[in-house]
Amino acid sequence: MRQNYAFLDENSKKEIRRKTLKAIAIPGYQVPFASRELPIARGWGTGGLQLTLSLAGQSDTVKVIDQGSDESVNAVNIRKLIQDTTGVPDTIHTDAATLIQSRHRIPEVPLKPYQILVLQVPMPEPLRPVEPQERVTKMLHADKEYSGAWLRLFEQIMNYDSITEDADYPVLVEGRYVMAPSPIPRFDNPKMDNNDGLILLGAGREKKICALPPYTKVKSLAFEDYPFEVESFDDVICRQSGLTGVYMDELIDEETGETYYQTNDTSYMQEAMNREGSVK
Amino acid sequence: MSTHDNIALSVRGAGKFYGDRCNYCRNENNPLNNNICPYCRTVFAVDDVSFDLYKGEILGIVGESGSGKSTLMKMLYFDQERSAGEYYITGYAEGVPNVFTLSSQHRREIQNEILGMVYQNPVYGLKMDFSSMSNIAEKLIAAGSRNVGEMTAAGDHFLDKVNIPLDRKFEPPENFSGGMQQRVQIAKALSNYPPILLLDEVTTGLDVSVQADVLELIKEIQRELGISMIVVSHDLAIIRMLCDRTMVMLNGSVAEAGITDQILEDPKHHYTQQLVYSIL
């Protein structure tokens, strides 16, 4: 049987695009959408995949990453599905892509105005840990009552004397909506602020779409005396490439038992190594 | 609109109905079957209640179960929508708007900054699995504070005031006894010095010595901070000890109102007489 272009039927894609436009019109607001069945299970990136499928046109170039890697099983399979059903070219080079689907990272290369970054979101509701009812969280958003989100950070300071939220650190969008930015590391939070590209966030299981249009003010929640800080990688050096100040994975050398660091964004690392022409 | 300088809040014709009301019960002169319309079965949980609360006074509300005391309190704290009536708060916009009809965002603002509520059951007023300190901070965060140092200082001050040992301030209320939970709830309600405090059956279910502690605390706070309070109770001994003026409710309406001593020593309404003599 012949598959429809981009797997989903045209009306489903249209619906997703309309909801995306609404999300762009209200930055940081969670727009409900009719999440479709896909050949992968919900919770495995179906929100991001539906956004990508609804947006992929024939002139697009797609890049898919999973925690910074172009080559993990998840990234490869999602990329294959997109390619098999649309035939659009793929790339690992962030600059060359027009459509980037990502799980848990924003690439090190800043977004360009012609690019769309699609993030896969498991839990789009920043207030869910303090309020289980959707009906109530909707009212809290309407009232701009975000003490629950702050309370979580406060409780961490009480328990550990610092904010321990490492990923999915809540942000305030344009001074109005508090948004969960998907489990990107805190390190990536400042990249969302006033950025050149469009960022879309899709939660397939929770059936929500969120958007950050270009040049949106995105501020990480913080207290006056406990300011927001990103993880520092200034004093660690990537063992493969010699890069520093980028987001690193901490790994253990199985032979020597020694701890070493490696750049998490693999395509960025590869580009840097090719540019220098030297592999250490 | 409140005209008197010393008035903290005033309520006019407040009502809460469950049902559609028919032509018969819309006419105030027609008798109801207790507080239920004999034709359309509409329940008048609170019916045409008017009163003023003066600055720095404690107003008591007594009445049997189902007389509408708690419903009235919930309406005053915006936990329940009112069906009829007007409500003015001198501390909000000079007492000009009928705050019952404000948007939920504005009502939330009043709730966070002007009112404090202590529920009969601490489960409603506290987040049982967050530390006591965080529970107090929640109210301060909601009222706009973003400084951890200031909030912990206020938390220490109020927890000490309600006799919670400070070495237990990071424990969640679920570890505490009922009396301690109630005291944490009072500390939370007081933490941003609200000019009006609503207490709904705060000592019901506590043993007598703890009751005495909590009442002593309420009295002390009222003397020290000059907070206006509304105290709901069905225990006349508590009303006698705390309240300057008392309102007796029966079937959703006010049966009798006046100075506490007068009501208790010389009750006019037959229900009040019954109430007073059944206890003494």
Side-chain angles (χ1 to χ4, degrees), chain A residues 129-130 139-140 142-148 150-152 154-155 157-159 176 222-226, chain B residues 104-105 108 112 127 129-135 137-138 141-142 145-152 170:
Chain A
V130 284
M139 289 198 285
L140 294 173
D143 290 355
K144 207 183 163 189
E145 169 59 64
Y146 291 121
S147 37
W150 293 89
L151 186 65
R152 243 174 93 211
F154 185 90
E155 178 82 346
I157 294 173
M158 288 302 102
N159 289 337
R176 179 59 184 86
F223 293 99
E224 287 161 13
D225 42 354
Y226 284 81
Chain B
S104 75
Q105 225 176 68
R108 185 84 69 173
N112 288 338
K127 290 205 165 27
D129 48 352
F130 279 79
S131 70
S132 305
M133 185 58 94
S134 298
N135 268 292
E138 188 188 11
I141 292 168
S145 176
R146 294 288 180 265
N147 188 304
V148 176
E150 280 171 25
M151 286 190 275
T152 47
F170 296 132

Side-chain angles (χ1 to χ4, degrees), chain B residues 2 4-9 52-59 89-92 94 195-196 222 225-229 244-245:
Chain B
S2 57
H4 203 291
D5 277 349
N6 289 326
I7 287 176
L9 68 80
D52 292 318
L53 174 70
Y54 291 90
K55 284 181 182 161
E57 82 161 337
I58 304 185
L59 174 68
I89 298 177
T90 315
Y92 182 79
E94 265 98 52
I196 299 165
Q222 192 261 344
L225 305 174
I227 293 176
S228 323
M229 297 186 192
D244 306 302
R245 286 190 310 134

Side-chain angles (χ1 to χ4, degrees), chain A residues 73-86:
Chain A
V73 177
N74 206 344
V76 170
N77 282 331
I78 288 177
R79 185 165 52 230
K80 271 188 178 166
L81 178 71
I82 297 166
Q83 270 208 307
D84 287 351
T85 54
T86 62

Side-chain angles (χ1 to χ4, degrees), chain A residues 233 236 247-253 259-264:
Chain A
F233 296 98
V236 291
Y247 195 76
M248 306 266 190
D249 290 328
E250 189 184 273
L251 300 163
I252 290 166
D253 191 316
T259 303
Y260 68 98
Y261 291 88
Q262 190 178 313
T263 307
N264 172 271

